[in-house]
Amino acid sequence: MSKLITLNEFIQTNQADFPFATGELSRLLNDIAVASKIVSRDVRKAGLVDHILGAQGNQNVQGEDQQKLDVVADEAFIKAFEQGGEVCGIASEENDDFVAFKSEQAKNGKYVVLFDPLDGSSNIDVNVSIGTIFSIYRRISPVGTEATLEDMLQPGTAQVAAGYVLYGSSTMLVYTTGKGVNGFTLDPSIGEYCLSHPSMKMPENGRLYAMNEGNIFECEEGLRKYINYCQSRENQTGMPYSGRYIGSLVADFHRNLIKGGIYIYPDVLSAPEGKLRLLYECNPLAFIAEQAGGLATTGRKRILEIKPERLHQRTPYYTGSKLMMEKAMECLAK
Ligand code: P6P
């Protein structure tokens, strides 16, 4: 049996990989891991605790304000970042504006974190996997001051780390610091994330495509051509691909990372800029995809090179196996 390597051990062992390895990023990654264990605990009992299933704003039987699980998750991560001392500010899907922490300790933090605390939370009530997505940048503003919007609006190429937590059949943490991708599975019996997927590589090709085909008639012609290609016998397998759409981005992405595949959320009439958010959904997963040998684009442009203009801006999103992505973009270019 191979040696058990915990996330903490792994981070410490590989700390020298970080250009400014003074332990702060290591501590920040551990803060994320601790917060995710709290969220995982709550997700696992979602069906049993009314405050989790109820919509925000209702009163539960004790007269307590109900909170949706994604608000609970948001607060867990913000608390971890604010108290950890490495982060001067955050931006989250659950908060209209960014948050600049006020304490002197936080103002001396060197990092900002942009995150979606619980993506796909509409799936909680039907017990489908959901996820947390995070993106870490070094601040631009001077240490010792409050975080600024400029700190948040950096292109994806500036990320120092990115990752996700998948609350699935097991809870997994997958992240990159620009030196490859590694996956850790939470062992609830010891409360530790253990290295289970070292040096993850996305298969260069695949036969799974993930897209909400209910949008197909609202998509551009090139994308319809690509989907027809996937469903035909013209592709390299000589057989139609399989459509696999969970409707939960982290779950769809993780499956494609392991098995090979493509995820597509294009611009459609109901979402002319696309549905997914650039800063805390597309950029972090794009970083992981590229580090694992895959690609992530708008269908035409590399996601990581987009210069953000707004915190919650959306983008069309194609990500997955290199050869599948190249074929999709070939169809779009015609
Ligand atoms: P649709 C969940 O709301 C989400 O942000 C992603 O997790 C998921 O892939 C997508 O939206 C599903 O959107 O329009 O297909 O229901």
Side-chain angles (χ1 to χ4, degrees):
M1 178 178 168
S2 56
K3 178 180 179 305
L4 183 73
I5 299 175
T6 66
L7 174 64
N8 203 357
E9 281 177 272
F10 183 87
I11 290 172
Q12 297 307 325
T13 306
N14 294 279
Q15 182 165 284
D17 283 348
F18 306 146
F20 17 79
T22 52
E24 288 120 336
L25 188 57
S26 302
R27 282 191 293 276
L28 172 48
L29 288 168
N30 276 302
D31 292 342
I32 289 172
V34 171
S36 72
K37 292 176 190 174
I38 293 167
V39 174
S40 181
R41 176 201 63 195
D42 288 350
V43 165
R44 300 295 169 206
K45 63 183 181 183
L48 301 173
V49 183
D50 62 1
H51 82 279
I52 285 174
L53 286 182
Q56 186 180 5
N58 299 331
Q59 298 279 315
N60 66 19
V61 291
Q62 292 81 19
E64 298 163 358
D65 287 334
Q66 281 187 327
Q67 282 195 321
K68 289 170 60 176
L69 189 53
D70 40 17
V71 175
V72 173
D74 189 48
E75 290 173 356
F77 282 102
I78 290 176
K79 184 177 177 184
F81 295 138
E82 189 161 21
Q83 294 181 353
E86 312 306 341
V87 175
C88 58
I90 62 100
S92 153
E93 183 182 49
E94 294 297 324
N95 298 270
D96 291 344
D97 202 353
F98 74 96
V99 177
F101 296 142
K102 305 299 184 188
S103 73
E104 288 310 310
Q105 182 193 37
K107 286 182 196 174
N108 286 307
K110 295 179 181 164
Y111 299 97
V112 295
V113 184
L114 295 91
F115 65 103
D116 186 348
L118 215 53
D119 180 77
S121 53
S122 59
N123 292 299
I124 295 170
D125 294 5
V126 294
N127 208 10
V128 165
S129 301
I130 50 182
T132 297
I133 312 169
F134 61 90
S135 178
I136 302 173
Y137 293 85
R138 280 183 76 83
R139 68 185 301 173
I140 294 172
S141 54
V143 172
T145 64
E146 289 191 15
T148 65
L149 181 60
E150 187 191 18
D151 290 326
M152 310 296 164
L153 298 181
Q154 301 182 55
T157 47
Q159 293 175 97
V160 294
Y164 60 83
V165 181
L166 177 58
Y167 310 100
S169 47
S170 63
T171 295
M172 277 197 73
L173 172 66
V174 176
Y175 80 93
T176 182
T177 58
K179 303 279 187 182
V181 178
N182 291 283
F184 301 80
T185 299
L186 181 63
D187 179 340
S189 67
I190 58 173
E192 289 281 2
Y193 278 108
C194 301
L195 183 62
S196 54
H197 297 67
S199 302
M200 298 180 82
K201 288 295 176 194
M202 189 182 278
E204 194 180 39
N205 217 334
R207 52 182 309 279
L208 302 175
Y209 69 97
M211 175 187 164
N212 179 345
E213 291 184 68
N215 294 324
I216 197 71
F217 294 119
E218 293 190 6
C219 297
E220 61 182 282
E221 175 61 24
L223 176 51
R224 291 204 296 274
K225 280 183 181 170
Y226 178 65
I227 298 301
N228 288 339
Y229 169 83
C230 292
Q231 296 170 339
S232 74
R233 293 177 183 267
E234 294 165 33
N235 61 58
Q236 86 287 356
T237 66
M239 293 290 289
Y241 293 168
S242 293
R244 288 283 185 281
Y245 191 64
I246 302 170
S248 188
L249 171 61
V250 174
D252 278 314
F253 180 89
H254 184 73
R255 182 206 53 243
N256 290 346
L257 175 59
I258 291 177
K259 290 183 176 287
I262 189 169
Y263 173 97
I264 300 170
Y265 208 109
D267 50 309
V268 290
L269 293 180
S270 54
E273 293 183 348
K275 177 180 183 182
L276 301 184
R277 315 288 186 152
L278 171 64
L279 289 180
Y280 40 77
E281 292 172 342
C282 300
N283 267 339
L285 297 184
F287 191 13
I288 289 181
E290 291 195 2
Q291 282 289 309
L295 294 174
T297 73
T298 62
R300 290 170 174 84
K301 179 178 179 185
R302 188 182 175 214
I303 287 290
L304 294 180
E305 291 177 353
I306 297 174
K307 176 67 182 84
E309 294 169 1
R310 302 180 312 281
L311 276 184
H312 302 288
Q313 79 181 64
R314 303 171 191 266
T315 177
Y317 197 48
Y318 293 67
T319 187
S321 295
K322 182 174 177 291
L323 297 182
M324 297 181 82
M325 283 288 294
E326 289 173 351
K327 181 63 183 177
M329 290 195 284
E330 177 192 314
C331 293
L332 290 169
K334 283 175 183 166

